[in-house]
Structures are given as structure tokens and as C-alpha cells.
């Protein structure tokens, strides 16, 4: 028990030397700490307590020992479980807390940043509830989310183009299609750029920033051709009277590396909420809903929760579609098409 207490204290509040001594004494650095409400591993705890130097020591140890799965070690607290049954990864927590140095550590270690796109923010101590960041913190949170999205899609941070983009020479995560877009976004990106680089420099195993996985197979629920295109029209009602096909919302599909139109029902919802004054988001759930016969436990462990529970939040300010159960995000855009 003394080793466990020492490891927790060294990880959350100790110096890097304190943590190294704990590891050298044989403390279980790669296991969830017993007695913690979140059942978190030391890597996750270092992210929660925003200790980038200790985080770098632990992820480097994990990679040296051939344990890359520890980079995705989830926080499975009871408080978080209803919101995210798969738990929050260390990279997700780094963005959620607005810590670019910790994000740099996780990115350089090769963590799955597809699942590091939070739709809610957290500030302060690890036990503090989710809050709206203040005017000083909010730009940092937004800049981190934009940088993660640019990194995972190889998409220009400003205009969302994917052709002829070059990575930022400092953070090695944000992409730009040219000097004009880089200048346009610099006031925002500079809040995190050098700090991400500082975190990346703490992980010396790789000379360059590892490329992210091309896509996450289970990050989003697939759309259903029938259900998600059903506008609920009564017999005799004409589609063109209720649906404006000229206002088209699209999402960027990493698998095909192309923009794809949302199904009609979801497109109508996104457009309708977008037209409401001061509406920040649209929430939806794609595909068919679970049958009532499905047990409660099975629903809670699924990324497809029971009927009337939204899985996706579309935020207009960032133009991102978030899956709130997996932590994944995808870029979206609105197009006005010529009248047919």
C-alpha cells in the first residue's frame, strides 16, 4: 500500500525525480491505482493533474516496455461513465483541461488523437466539475481543438483545404495551405503552438512527430439510408415544400478523404437550428434506435445509447461534429447550392 500512495503522490504532485525513484523501486506504474474513484492509471493521473514532465516519463516508459495501449488508458470514474462509458483518454483530458504541453507529450508519443476532441471543458482541479472556461482560457481550449482537428485530418487550420498543405514548423501539428491562412490564424494558434512543441520535446524517443492513424473505425455511428433520410412527411405532402435542398451540410469523411452530404433528416435539423438566433449547437442521434428489449447495461456500454439520447453535438462556432461518447470529432461545412 505504501508503494501505491507514494506513486500517486509522485505522479500528481511530485517532481520527475520523485516519480523516477518510485518506478525504480518497483511501484506499479502500469496499473490502475486501487482505491481511486476513477480507477485511473498513473499516465491518466498525470494528465488529470496537468504534470507534463511526469506524463512524459510515464509514456516514454510505456513505449520502451512495449505497452503502447497505456497511452489510451481511460478514466473510468462513475461520474464520467454516464457521459462517456469508454472513459477519457489522457490526450482527451489534455485538451479538455486546455493544457497544450500535455497534448504535445501525448501527440509525440503517438496517442490516438482522433479521440481527443472534447465537446465540454474542464478547468481547475481534477475533481472540479465541467465548467465553461473564462475569457482567458476559452481561446486556448478552442485553439487546441482546432489544432487536433488539423493534425488528424491534414487539413488547413483556417480554410479547411487539404491540397498542398504544410505542417507548422514549430508544433508539427497544425497544417496551413499558405502564408495567408497562417497569418489569419496566428493570433489563435500562437496561444498553443510553442507549448505543444515544449511538450513534444519531453518525449525523445522519436525524432519527428508520429503521423496519426488515418481514421478511427468506431469513432462514429454509421448513418442509416432509410431512417436518417426520413423527413416524416404525411401522404400527399411534397418534399420540396418542407425541405430546402439548396442548403447542404457536409462532413469530412477521413476514410474516403472527401466531403459527404448529411442525410436529409439530419441536414434539415442542422440547418434549422443554425437559423435560430444564438443557437450554439444541434444534437442528434443517427441510425435506428435500440429496441426496448435491450438491457440497460448493454445500452450503457454501447456508443449507441437508448432512444431519445443524442450521441452527436454539432457546434457551429467550431464547425465540428462531436461524438460525445467516443471523444471523436469531424469537420463540417455548409454549402449553398444553385437552385435545381
Amino acid at each position: 500500500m505504501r508503494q501505491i500512495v507514494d506513486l500517486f503522490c509522485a505522479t500528481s504532485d511530485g517532481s520527475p525525480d520523485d516519480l523516477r525513484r518510485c518506478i525504480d523501486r518497483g511501484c506499479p506504474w502500469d496499473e490502475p491505482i486501487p482505491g481511486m474513484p476513477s480507477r485511473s492509471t498513473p499516465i491518466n493521473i498525470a494528465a488529470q493533474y496537468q504534470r507534463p514532465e511526469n506524463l512524459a516519463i510515464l509514456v516514454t516508459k510505456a513505449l520502451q516496455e512495449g505497452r503502447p495501449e497505456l497511452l489510451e488508458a481511460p478514466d473510468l470514474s462513475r461520474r464520467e461513465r454516464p457521459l462517456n462509458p469508454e472513459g477519457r483518454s489522457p490526450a482527451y483530458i489534455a485538451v479538455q483541461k486546455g493544457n497544450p504541453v500535455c497534448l504535445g507529450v501525448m501527440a509525440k508519443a503517438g496517442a490516438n488523437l482522433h479521440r481527443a476532441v472534447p465537446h465540454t471543458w474542464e478547468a481547475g482541479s481534477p475533481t472540479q466539475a465541467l465548467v465553461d472556461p473564462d475569457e482567458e482560457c476559452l481561446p486556448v481550449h478552442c485553439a487546441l481543438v482546432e489544432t487536433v482537428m488539423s493534425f488528424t485530418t491534414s487539413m488547413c487550420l483556417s480554410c479547411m483545404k487539404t491540397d498542398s498543405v504544410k505542417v507548422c514548423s514549430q508544433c508539427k501539428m497544425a497544417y496551413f495551405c499558405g502564408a495567408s491562412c497562417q497569418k489569419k490564424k496566428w493570433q489563435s494558434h500562437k496561444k498553443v503552438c510553442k507549448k505543444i512543441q515544449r511538450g513534444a520535446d519531453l518525449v525523445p524517443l522519436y525524432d519527428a512527430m508520429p503521423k496519426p492513424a488515418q481514421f478511427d473505425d468506431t469513432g462514429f455511428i454509421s448513418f442509416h439510408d432509410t431512417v436518417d433520410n426520413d423527413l416524416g412527411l404525411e401522404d400527399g405532402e411534397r418534399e420540396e415544400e418542407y425541405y430546402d435542398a439548396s442548403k447542404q451540410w457536409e462532413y469530412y469523411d477521413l476514410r474516403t478523404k472527401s466531403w459527404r452530404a448529411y442525410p436529409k433528416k439530419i441536414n434539415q435539423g442542422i440547418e434549422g437550428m443554425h437559423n435560430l438566433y444564438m443557437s450554439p449547437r444541434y444534437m442528434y442521434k443517427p441510425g435506428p434506435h435500440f429496441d426496448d428489449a435491450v438491457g440497460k447495461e448493454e445500452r450503457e456500454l454501447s456508443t449507441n445509447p437508448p432512444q431519445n439520447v443524442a450521441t452527436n453535438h454539432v457546434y457551429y462556432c467550431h464547425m465540428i461534429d462531436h461524438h460525445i461518447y467516443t471523444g471523436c470529432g469531424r469537420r463540417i461545412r455548409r454549402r449553398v447550392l444553385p437552385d435545381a
Side-chain angles (χ1 to χ4, degrees):
M1 180 59 70
R2 179 58 186 272
Q3 281 190 333
I4 293 171
V5 173
D6 289 347
L7 179 63
F8 175 78
C9 293
T11 301
S12 63
D13 196 39
S15 69
D17 288 338
D18 292 335
L19 180 57
R20 291 189 185 96
R21 283 192 288 268
C22 278
I23 295 175
D24 291 342
R25 294 205 320 265
C27 293
W29 63 273
D30 57 344
E31 300 176 5
I33 295 182
M36 286 288 292
S38 62
R39 307 206 311 274
S40 299
T41 64
I43 288 179
N44 200 289
I45 290 170
Q48 291 180 43
Y49 282 82
Q50 303 183 69
R51 307 289 292 181
E53 291 82 7
N54 292 346
L55 182 62
I57 291 172
L58 291 164
V59 300
T60 300
K61 178 73 171 175
L63 294 173
Q64 290 173 334
E65 296 290 331
R67 300 289 304 282
E69 73 277 5
L70 292 175
L71 272 59
E72 316 305 328
D75 167 20
L76 293 176
S77 68
R78 291 182 179 179
R79 180 172 65 85
E80 285 293 330
R81 191 175 180 82
L83 176 66
N84 186 354
E86 296 191 3
R88 304 175 301 168
S89 70
Y92 182 99
I93 291 173
V95 180
Q96 189 175 53
K97 286 183 172 292
N99 194 306
V101 185
C102 287
L103 175 63
V105 171
M106 298 311 301
K108 185 67 175 294
N112 179 12
L113 297 193
H114 288 287
R115 298 198 174 211
V117 190
H119 70 293
T120 55
W121 312 120
E122 185 175 282
S125 69
T127 58
Q128 184 171 333
L130 299 176
V131 297
D132 291 328
D134 55 31
E135 293 183 359
E136 181 179 350
C137 295
L138 181 59
V140 176
H141 284 281
C142 294
L144 281 177
V145 168
E146 289 179 343
T147 299
V148 169
M149 292 300 299
S150 179
F151 181 64
T152 56
T153 60
S154 298
M155 184 179 287
C156 177
L157 190 71
S158 178
C159 68
M160 297 194 291
K161 290 181 180 178
T162 55
D163 297 332
S164 303
V165 293
K166 294 183 179 180
V167 72
C168 174
S169 61
Q170 295 188 66
C171 70
K172 303 296 193 297
M173 287 186 67
Y175 284 84
F176 298 96
C177 64
S180 176
C181 278
Q182 188 172 22
K183 183 178 180 180
K184 182 179 179 180
K185 273 292 184 179
W186 179 242
Q187 287 302 312
S188 169
H189 183 60
K190 73 177 182 180
K191 299 179 186 299
V192 301
C193 181
K194 291 184 178 181
K195 292 180 180 179
I196 291 175
Q197 181 186 29
R198 188 198 315 166
D201 289 343
L202 295 173
V203 183
L205 285 180
Y206 305 123
D207 293 332
M209 186 75 76
K211 295 290 185 181
Q214 291 187 341
F215 48 83
D216 190 311
D217 282 324
T218 59
F220 286 91
I221 301 171
S222 298
F223 293 116
H224 192 278
D225 288 341
T226 302
V227 173
D228 294 328
N229 281 294
D230 183 4
L231 297 174
L233 301 179
E234 300 291 340
D235 290 341
E237 291 181 332
R238 300 171 58 190
E239 180 177 305
E240 54 268 27
E241 295 177 355
Y242 296 91
Y243 179 70
D244 185 356
S246 67
K247 309 298 190 301
Q248 181 171 293
W249 286 84
E250 300 173 335
Y251 64 95
Y252 190 73
D253 185 350
L254 281 173
R255 183 180 291 275
T256 61
K257 296 188 182 302
S258 62
W259 290 96
R260 303 187 66 178
Y262 279 97
K264 293 178 180 179
K265 179 180 177 181
I266 296 174
N267 188 90
Q268 184 182 47
I270 297 175
E271 176 65 16
M273 195 62 71
H274 176 260
N275 291 333
L276 289 179
Y277 178 67
M278 295 294 289
S279 177
R281 63 185 175 180
Y282 171 69
M283 300 181 292
Y284 72 94
K285 180 179 186 294
H289 298 162
F290 264 127
D291 186 89
D292 291 338
V294 176
K296 178 181 178 182
E297 182 178 355
E298 183 178 349
R299 292 199 302 264
E300 288 183 348
L301 293 175
S302 171
T303 56
N304 185 5
Q307 188 170 350
N308 300 324
V309 177
T311 57
N312 292 61
H313 289 194
V314 171
Y315 280 84
Y316 301 111
C317 58
H318 299 140
M319 296 297 278
I320 294 175
D321 184 347
H322 299 263
H323 191 301
I324 66 172
Y325 279 73
T326 65
C328 287
R330 55 188 173 199
R331 279 292 191 182
I332 63 172
R333 70 182 184 182
R334 179 179 185 263
R335 297 176 64 204
V336 179
L337 305 177
D339 293 335

